[in-house]
Amino acid sequence: MTVAALVALVALAGCGTSKPGSGSSSAASVTASPSVAAATSSTPPTSAPPSTRAAGPIDVQDVSFVSADQGWALGSGELVTTTDGGASWTRLPDPPAGAAHLRFASPQVGYAWSAAGSLWITTDGAASWQPGGLTQVVSLETAGGWVWSLAGPQPYPNVRRARVGSTAWTNLGPTPDRSATLTVHGDVAYVVGQQGAGPIAPSLDVFAGTQPVRHASLPCGQGKTYVPFAPLGTSTDGQVYLVCDTMNNQSQTQLAYVSGDQGRGWSATNPPPPQPPQGVTAVTGGRFAWNNGPDLYRLTGPGWQVSLTDPGHGFSLVGFETDTQGVALGTNGYLWITRDAGATWSRLTV
């Protein structure tokens, strides 16, 4: 995840490790903070009155870390934070009503939103929230002092960028296609547009700092090949990893590529993931892919292996801040932590 490169995530668990796919783990405690306030979509909280609610586990919808120790988890209409790498969690004032996603850029500045509602921003570590200047946010990522978003009327939202902490957004133009995805690393943002009607060929827009720098076709979109989906992820070392789900003459094939120059040139890399991926990410020496099924795959050395299994569910987010520390979020609200580059994972109860 950013994690700077992918969803501004850093993950360190204060619990024991478990074998990939196992359900055993140490549970982190959750303690109630001295103050909790209810936020509404029209009037965000500015202060928090005392709360008598008991703390309890939550089903995590989204998670964001800004250091090895400090992170936030959102779920069940509640927001909690950790300052010890997940060993314990403290309840914060309630997030804005309806918020389903969050990203923090620093211990003070964070963002919360839902696709059907407004964007909210905090500049005081989630003690209070104010309107963030956008609505209809599809996705948002932050890294390198910038925050990037796909937001606006569907099906073609605009790419927008602002300095972290600012609500003055610059409109950089529409996405390449309605199913566009956003990935960031440092001060560079990548927006991939999938195959569209017309037909619209799959493409990649690259933005650096303050302006768009390149619009190019994907290496797999050649001839009559149909590319219904092309997930892209950035590695902890800045390399860009792309997998194309291609269809030609009724056959379906996965094609994998890597770029070391921000998508200017691509090299085919084998083997591709064993299943058409929903998302991909990478660390130095390892790659990861996941889809709607229960398995998170890891490529190290000659082949892919199952790194983690969440039986009966899939994964909504996988991200790494360093080459060894990362997080995986199950669609059932389970949060998993690795400290050894995905060789083993521990489930963390938030």
Side-chain angles (χ1 to χ4, degrees):
M1 65 180 107
T2 329
V3 218
L6 182 68
V7 298
L9 299 172
V10 174
L12 275 180
C15 57
T17 60
S18 62
K19 295 181 180 180
S22 72
S24 62
S25 67
S26 300
S29 61
V30 182
T31 58
S33 65
S35 59
V36 178
T40 67
S41 58
S42 58
T43 306
T46 56
S47 61
S51 170
T52 58
R53 293 187 306 172
I58 66 173
D59 291 332
V60 180
Q61 291 177 276
D62 213 345
V63 60
S64 182
F65 277 71
V66 297
S67 71
D69 293 323
Q70 190 160 12
W72 296 258
L74 172 70
S76 307
E78 300 175 8
L79 181 63
V80 295
T81 185
T82 179
T83 57
D84 55 13
S88 62
W89 297 83
T90 299
R91 182 164 296 169
L92 294 171
D94 287 351
H101 305 282
L102 84 162
R103 294 291 183 270
F104 274 78
S106 71
Q108 291 75 39
V109 181
Y111 303 84
W113 74 95
S114 66
S118 298
L119 176 69
W120 298 92
I121 183 174
T122 179
T123 57
D124 56 12
S128 63
W129 297 86
Q130 295 78 38
L134 293 178
T135 59
Q136 296 178 280
V137 176
V138 178
S139 60
L140 181 147
E141 303 293 350
T142 176
W146 296 98
V147 57
W148 305 82
S149 181
L150 305 184
Q154 305 298 311
Y156 297 97
N158 289 309
V159 182
R160 299 178 184 269
R161 173 197 51 79
R163 283 288 185 183
V164 165
S166 171
T167 58
W169 293 86
T170 299
N171 187 347
L172 301 176
T175 60
D177 193 24
R178 67 182 64 196
S179 57
T181 56
L182 171 68
T183 305
V184 302
H185 186 274
D187 64 350
V188 180
Y190 303 89
V191 179
V192 178
Q194 282 27 279
Q195 192 93 27
I200 299 173
S203 61
L204 171 66
D205 284 355
V206 181
F207 303 85
T210 59
Q211 60 185 355
V213 296
R214 186 166 56 264
H215 173 83
S217 298
L218 297 183
C220 49
Q222 307 296 328
K224 297 182 179 180
T225 300
Y226 178 64
V227 186
F229 194 54
L232 178 147
T234 55
S235 175
T236 49
D237 60 8
Q239 290 195 82
V240 184
Y241 183 50
L242 171 72
V243 176
C244 294
D245 181 16
T246 66
M247 299 181 69
N248 196 345
N249 296 326
Q250 305 304 316
S251 64
Q252 187 173 14
T253 306
Q254 310 307 308
L255 301 176
Y257 302 87
V258 65
S259 174
D261 56 6
Q262 300 176 355
R264 294 181 182 87
W266 296 93
S267 300
T269 178
N270 286 306
Q275 300 290 334
Q278 178 182 353
V280 297
T281 192
V283 298
T284 303
R287 294 172 186 155
F288 295 83
W290 63 97
N291 56 22
N292 293 325
D295 296 325
L296 169 64
Y297 295 96
R298 172 179 178 243
L299 174 65
T300 56
W304 291 87
Q305 296 180 340
V306 174
S307 177
L308 174 64
T309 297
D310 194 356
H313 302 277
F315 295 95
S316 60
L317 177 153
V318 180
F320 286 79
E321 177 64 22
T322 72
D323 286 337
T324 57
Q325 301 165 3
V327 63
L329 180 59
T331 56
N332 55 349
Y334 288 2
L335 180 62
W336 303 85
I337 301 296
T338 182
R339 292 185 289 174
D340 54 11
T344 59
W345 297 80
S346 298
R347 183 185 160 198
L348 181 63
T349 302
V350 178

